[in-house]
Amino acid sequence: MENVRDPRQHINEEPRDDLMDTAVGFGVMFGFMFVVFTAAVVVKFIIS
């Protein structure tokens, strides 16, 4: 491999599904934000 910047010389060892990666990332972030929102609502009700 003399030209390390030539993409034709690099084998894609792990093919990625970008749409599925994006969907999973969105789902995980949505779940995390939902948990944070729920915790904030519960804390607000406990305080008031």
Side-chain angles (χ1 to χ4, degrees):
M1 256 200 255
E2 295 182 17
N3 186 3
V4 296
R5 292 182 174 263
D6 187 2
R8 293 173 297 177
Q9 295 179 357
H10 296 275
I11 297 172
N12 188 6
E13 296 177 6
E14 184 182 356
R16 305 299 291 168
D17 183 4
D18 291 336
L19 179 62
M20 198 61 196
D21 288 344
T22 303
V24 168
F26 180 83
V28 169
M29 193 64 187
F30 179 82
F32 174 72
M33 287 298 165
F34 185 77
V35 169
V36 169
F37 171 75
T38 305
V41 169
V42 168
V43 168
K44 180 165 175 27
F45 276 131
I46 290 173
I47 291 175
S48 60

